[in-house]
Amino acid sequence: MVQPLTPEQRNTVLQALLGEGWALTAGRDAIKKTFNFKDFNEAFGFMARVACKAETIEHHPEWFNVYNKVDVVLSTHDVKGLSSKDIEMAEFMDSVKV
């Protein structure tokens, strides 16, 4: 079962993500980031890679796409907040961003 982030994880891993453009979401225990791409094809390719990862780890992002921009929010509904799955997904998204 997935557990919420510990205080130690918040002070290390989460803080590192916040330095990479992720931000805390107002009003809930979640993180968000906007990814910008050259065009729609590049944005859609990013979303396809992330969708495959999401299926693999059974953790799906909240996202919104318009043309070359993808807005992402990550939170784990089972724990009503951030978990290691959100960290894994955020790190993966950062790694596949072209």
Side-chain angles (χ1 to χ4, degrees), residues 18-97:
L18 295 177
E20 295 297 319
W22 289 90
L24 295 172
T25 303
R28 63 188 283 206
D29 192 23
I31 55 175
K32 64 183 177 179
K33 185 172 183 176
T34 297
F35 291 89
N36 292 294
F37 300 90
K38 179 179 69 174
D39 54 26
F40 177 76
N41 189 50
E42 199 174 280
F44 191 80
F46 168 79
M47 293 177 74
R49 288 187 296 279
V50 171
C52 290
K53 175 69 170 182
E55 283 295 298
T56 301
I57 67 170
E58 297 182 2
H59 188 63
H60 303 87
E62 299 171 23
W63 56 13
F64 181 76
N65 165 246
V66 174
Y67 184 57
N68 69 331
K69 183 174 82 170
V70 180
D71 294 314
V72 177
V73 175
L74 297 174
S75 186
T76 304
H77 298 106
D78 291 345
V79 301
K80 296 179 177 59
L82 292 167
S83 77
S84 60
K85 285 193 172 194
D86 300 301
I87 301 304
E88 181 178 356
M89 185 61 73
E91 289 173 342
F92 179 79
M93 288 179 175
D94 285 342
S95 76
V96 299
K97 168 66 170 86

